[in-house]
Amino acid sequence: MKLTIFAATGGVGRQLLEQAIAAGHDVTAVVRSPEKLPAGAVRVVKADLAAPDPAALESAVGGADAVLSGLGPRSNADAGIAARGTAAIVAAMQATHVRRIVVVSAAPVGTVASPGRPRPPRHDPGDGFFMRHLFSPLAGAAFGKVYTDLALMEDVLRDSGLDWTVVRPPRLSGRPGTGRYRTAYGQNVRGGWIVPRADVAHLMLAALGRPETIKQTIGVAS
């Protein structure tokens, strides 16, 4: 399969890149700093999604079977990159007639209001007592702008007309992947507090072969 991976030097993006190469896919990596990638391993397109160049993005996605994105803000200071960058990716896909995209978001986003979802549920149906009343309020206070950016990114995808899938993990870890993660469609995973980045990447790649994941948000956790 011919894949284009955005933010391929980030936490989830690097896992996507490694697993896609290992699986024998033809990969184009879109990164801001090409020097962070091994020379000659994949086709590399340099692009800064904070100020995207439409021609570069169209070159990166043209002819791809699918696009995967690990793009997201690292902190409140970076908020805005996910929605703005994803809008540019979507425009490039529309211009080059590429339809399939899988992106990573975050578990708390299901309860974040946005123009496309002005009245989200107060609590995610998959969250238990401690997640609802302890973790989610603390996470919202610490990373509110991050989650707002990701909610806007999800709006962009819902309005795109593309075949999108959004994966929403809770806290990410750097532990090795297990392949034994749990998933839930349209909600978070009950009792799901953490998941390795490698397992998130595994799910994102696996979703490409599962038509039932199209136009779905999927919770994932260990």
Side-chain angles (χ1 to χ4, degrees):
M1 189 177 293
K2 190 172 182 180
L3 305 177
T4 299
I5 299 175
F6 283 86
T9 57
V12 171
R14 188 171 289 278
Q15 290 294 329
L16 284 168
L17 182 64
E18 291 176 359
Q19 293 181 33
I21 293 171
H25 296 297
D26 179 357
V27 179
T28 295
V30 185
V31 296
R32 184 169 55 184
S33 304
E35 66 275 9
K36 294 182 179 180
L37 292 176
V42 295
R43 176 183 177 232
V44 178
V45 173
K46 182 177 181 179
D48 183 357
L49 289 172
D53 174 5
L57 299 191
E58 289 176 22
S59 170
V61 304
D65 297 304
V67 171
L68 300 113
S69 175
L71 183 65
R74 297 179 181 178
S75 67
N76 286 330
D78 298 325
I81 185 65
R84 185 166 58 251
T86 301
I89 294 168
V90 164
M93 291 177 66
Q94 292 168 337
T96 55
H97 308 290
V98 177
R99 294 198 53 79
R100 190 70 172 104
I101 179 169
V102 181
V103 307
V104 64
S105 183
V109 173
T111 59
V112 176
S114 67
R117 295 176 71 242
R119 295 181 180 83
R122 183 177 178 186
H123 302 295
D124 188 282
D127 289 346
F129 178 85
F130 288 106
M131 186 66 77
R132 292 183 179 189
H133 300 288
L134 179 62
F135 176 77
S136 290
L138 290 174
F143 301 107
K145 292 182 180 179
V146 168
Y147 299 142
T148 296
D149 184 20
L150 293 172
L152 292 171
M153 175 193 73
E154 293 189 13
D155 280 356
V156 168
L157 292 170
R158 279 191 293 268
D159 293 340
S160 69
L162 300 179
D163 295 335
W164 55 267
T165 301
V166 171
V167 174
R168 291 177 178 166
R171 186 165 67 90
L172 296 166
S173 84
R175 293 180 180 178
T178 66
R180 297 189 299 274
Y181 50 84
R182 298 174 293 148
T183 61
Y185 281 64
Q187 64 181 57
N188 293 335
V189 174
R190 178 71 65 168
W193 292 88
I194 193 169
V195 66
R197 292 178 180 86
D199 280 343
V200 175
H202 185 276
L203 173 60
M204 292 174 70
L205 285 163
L208 297 177
R210 299 175 184 170
E212 67 273 15
T213 67
I214 292 174
K215 292 182 169 58
Q216 294 284 347
T217 58
I218 305 175
V220 58
S222 298

